[in-house]
Amino acid sequence: MKFLITGAAGQLGNQINQELRLIGVDDHDILAADKKALDVRYYDQVKKVVDVFQPDVIFHCAAFTDVEASEKIKRDLAYEVNLGGTKNIVNAIKDTNIKLVFISTDYVFDGKSQDLYEIDSHKNPLNVYGLTKSLAEDIVLEYKRSFIVRTAWIFGGSGHNFIEKMVELSKDHNKVYVVCDQIGSPTYAPHLASMLIKLALSDKYGIYHITNEGFISRSDLVRLAYKYLNIDTKVSDILTSSLQSSASRPLNACLSKQSLLDNNFELLAHYEQAVEEYCKKLKRR
Ligand SMILES: NC(=O)c1ccc[n+]([C@@H]2O[C@H](COP(=O)([O-])OP(=O)(O)OC[C@H]3O[C@@H](n4cnc5c(N)ncnc54)[C@H](OP(=O)(O)O)[C@@H]3O)[C@@H](O)[C@H]2O)c1
């Protein structure tokens, strides 16, 4: 089987590339395309790569992920990459049997519910990034051989992530302020990548929510990472409403993983185990 990864230099794309190699997929059967190799905004580029490489599976990870910039300064770019790029991929494969794994986000929801978000819960993105991903989902849904995977709070792949940023901050701060009212599930990139490959090898198409198990606030997540890393910096709770941010963010990002169970897939490990594993890795660096 041949695998194309878009956005392969990003946190998740890079991890999928590594996981494919770990399970023994041959070099020649993986095209890990970074933005230089494949800019998804250009249909001709997408079509050419699909026609020449002829993948069996596409992991579409490429995205403009800067939530703040998407809101105002780079709104057009967010639409061009997240919506336009996804349209280009779906158009390029519409007459093929290629499986498409599209990575989406908890930000398609407004986070105002008191319950877990199910795969068919009402979507109502609060920010432009979430809206572009939600519109892209609608395009992907029209393609039969597709998996839409909503995930959240990814950490532990290459590049920067929330935990790593907070560890960096601790180096020259005795105290950090972190929001305590955003609740969700951290997602360890190696665990997610491995599950995405399992999905892609199946024909159980549809929408999935995939994160590590358990729910935690952002501030408690930082406390947990600091504990595993023996960092003394104090974590103070603040409210999301006190932040000077152009983009609104959902407070409840708790996703139900029922569709994984319904399709006989295993759930990912609990986030505590994942954060501990990641912190051990950070310590060894
Ligand atoms: N990180 C999270 O917590 C999170 C949560 C939910 C969902 N997701 C979704 O998961 C996927 C992977 O996220 P990630 O954390 O790996 O993000 P990331 O590290 O920002 O990776 C995205 C990659 O896409 C590339 N890219 C941007 N514009 C492109 C274009 N026009 N053509 C091709 N590639 C382009 C970026 O390259 P440059 O950096 O060079 O621009 C980057 O390498 C995304 O679809 C994201 O929406 C992420």
Side-chain angles (χ1 to χ4, degrees):
M1 269 185 120
K2 290 166 80 178
F3 301 88
L4 168 64
I5 306 165
T6 71
Q11 203 184 178
L12 180 61
N14 185 279
Q15 193 67 45
I16 295 172
N17 186 12
Q18 288 183 43
E19 296 292 322
L20 285 171
R21 285 158 206 274
L22 275 179
I23 60 165
V25 178
D26 196 85
D27 253 16
H28 296 101
D29 293 331
I30 304 171
L31 181 54
D34 63 11
K35 191 163 68 182
K36 254 193 191 161
L38 171 59
D39 188 325
V40 295
R41 288 174 298 169
Y42 303 108
Y43 179 73
D44 291 353
Q45 283 191 28
V46 176
K47 182 81 174 115
K48 189 170 170 197
V49 166
V50 167
D51 288 351
V52 172
F53 183 63
Q54 299 192 343
D56 299 287
V57 174
I58 299 178
F59 293 103
H60 178 30
C61 302
F64 184 71
T65 55
D66 186 333
V67 178
E68 280 301 299
S70 298
E71 208 55 29
K72 283 189 184 143
I73 321 167
K74 299 217 167 144
R75 180 183 283 243
D76 291 349
L77 186 58
Y79 273 94
E80 280 168 29
V81 179
N82 299 348
L83 180 56
T86 306
K87 262 186 201 165
N88 286 340
I89 289 187
V90 171
N91 284 335
I93 63 175
K94 65 175 187 275
D95 299 321
T96 71
N97 286 326
I98 297 170
K99 296 177 179 183
L100 174 61
V101 184
F102 173 64
I103 316 302
S104 190
T105 167
D106 56 311
Y107 278 25
V108 300
F109 299 121
D110 61 19
K112 292 177 182 160
S113 168
Q114 302 299 314
D115 301 319
L116 298 188
Y117 282 95
E118 301 293 340
I119 55 167
D120 55 357
S121 291
H122 175 65
K123 296 199 288 178
N124 184 31
L126 295 178
N127 55 47
V128 171
Y129 166 75
L131 178 59
T132 59
K133 298 293 285 188
S134 173
L135 294 170
E137 282 190 359
D138 299 341
I139 303 285
V140 173
L141 269 181
E142 288 167 19
Y143 183 70
K144 275 196 190 125
R145 297 165 74 86
S146 65
F147 304 88
I148 291 175
V149 176
R150 297 188 189 123
T151 186
W153 301 16
I154 300 176
F155 69 98
S158 69
H160 295 298
N161 65 71
F162 174 66
I163 296 182
E164 199 182 282
K165 273 186 209 151
M166 296 314 299
V167 171
E168 280 305 309
L169 265 184
S170 73
K171 290 180 182 162
D172 42 18
H173 291 80
N174 298 325
K175 191 180 194 182
V176 293
Y177 295 88
V178 188
V179 291
C180 59
D181 54 350
Q182 291 180 27
I183 315 289
S185 307
T187 308
Y188 190 37
H191 294 173
L192 174 60
S194 162
M195 180 55 81
L196 291 174
I197 295 168
K198 285 182 192 150
L199 264 193
L201 295 178
S202 81
D203 53 7
K204 296 174 178 175
Y205 304 110
I207 305 177
Y208 292 85
H209 291 167
I210 308 182
T211 66
N212 282 106
E213 280 304 286
F215 305 108
I216 188 171
S217 69
R218 291 254 185 202
S219 54
D220 282 343
L221 174 59
V222 177
R223 288 187 184 98
L224 185 69
Y226 283 2
K227 183 183 90 177
Y228 287 139
L229 293 164
N230 303 316
I231 292 173
D232 290 334
T233 298
K234 190 176 170 346
V235 180
S236 274
D237 286 339
I238 50 165
L239 294 175
T240 303
S241 56
S242 70
L243 292 176
Q244 299 239 313
S245 157
S246 354
S248 302
R249 286 170 168 76
L251 298 185
N252 172 13
C254 299
L255 304 177
S256 156
K257 268 55 76 64
Q258 191 57 41
S259 65
L260 276 181
L261 296 173
D262 290 346
N263 286 289
N264 296 318
F265 289 110
E266 281 174 22
L267 299 176
L268 302 195
H270 195 275
Y271 69 79
E272 281 192 26
Q273 189 184 321
V275 173
E276 188 175 15
E277 194 176 318
Y278 176 57
C279 289
K280 277 186 187 154
K281 224 191 239 179
L282 283 183
K283 273 185 183 169
R284 285 197 296 268
R285 268 195 204 162

